[in-house]
Amino acid sequence: MSEATARETTTEVAPDTAAPDSAAPDSSAPVPASQSNLLAAPATEEVPQAAEETPTPDEPTLPTYDLSKFTLPEGVTIDQDAMKAAADLMRGMKLPQDEAQKLITFAAEREKATAQKGVEAFRELQNKWTGEVKADPEIGGTRLEASLAHAARAIDRLGVPGLREALHLTGAGNHPAVVKA
């Protein structure tokens, strides 16, 4: 049979007399306009929306914290933004207020200790430098007062506003090299 004859004998099947589901659809067959949207978009099953989650009696709700009831160790202050961030973190951990207080106290004590270590390290460095200045044979010992007065005049002669304050604030004015200069 020739190709032309085969084409002439092929007939289109009407939509209501379509082949059973087991037969593969003919992708070259024209699609009626009323069915074109069905074929263009894949069929989707309607998925029921999940109900809003409500805690069950076994599942506790997230705690709320009264930030004013948190107490801080003496000498420690925490800004409100940091306190709110900590409360959010502890809320996610579902900690009750008394357990959250333990974490606040622990964190505040750690920060206080860390800050104190920094202050002590600064003091030790300043003491080391002043000890070196006092022990230096060129500028220390009996020459110390004259050396410090000479250094003060040099700073004044430079005329740099804020220099003396910067040397004092940073402690750099106690460094032997600065005093010698």
Side-chain angles (χ1 to χ4, degrees):
M1 189 188 279
S2 75
E3 253 182 76
T5 316
R7 272 190 237 135
E8 289 173 8
T9 58
T10 306
T11 58
E12 284 189 24
V13 178
D16 55 0
T17 60
D21 290 337
S22 63
D26 181 11
S27 61
S28 64
V31 178
S34 63
Q35 292 183 355
S36 65
N37 289 341
L38 295 175
L39 296 177
T44 57
E45 292 182 25
E46 190 172 312
V47 178
Q49 293 289 330
E52 238 181 75
E53 289 186 32
T54 56
T56 62
D58 298 338
E59 184 179 317
T61 58
L62 292 178
T64 57
Y65 300 112
D66 183 351
L67 298 181
S68 66
K69 288 187 179 179
F70 284 125
T71 58
L72 299 172
E74 187 176 329
V76 175
T77 58
I78 298 178
D79 66 79
Q80 287 302 307
D81 290 338
M83 185 63 88
K84 287 177 185 176
D88 288 344
L89 178 68
M90 293 179 293
R91 188 174 297 111
M93 298 167 71
K94 299 179 182 176
L95 295 176
Q97 178 106 17
D98 62 328
E99 293 296 315
Q101 175 63 57
K102 291 176 185 176
L103 281 179
I104 292 287
T105 301
F106 175 76
E109 289 290 345
R110 294 286 302 151
E111 291 223 9
K112 184 178 177 181
T114 300
Q116 188 61 35
K117 284 181 183 178
V119 169
E120 288 174 17
F122 180 78
R123 280 189 198 139
E124 287 175 13
L125 182 61
Q126 296 307 302
N127 290 337
K128 176 185 173 219
W129 286 348
T130 56
E132 289 174 5
V133 167
K134 290 176 184 176
D136 189 287
E138 292 179 39
I139 57 174
T142 58
R143 299 179 179 187
L144 181 62
E145 282 190 48
S147 296
L148 294 178
H150 184 67
R153 281 192 306 273
I155 291 170
D156 290 341
R157 275 187 256 152
L158 288 173
V160 178
L163 178 59
R164 184 180 308 281
E165 291 81 12
L167 292 171
H168 178 72
L169 179 68
T170 63
N174 292 328
H175 193 281
V178 173
V179 176
K180 282 183 182 183

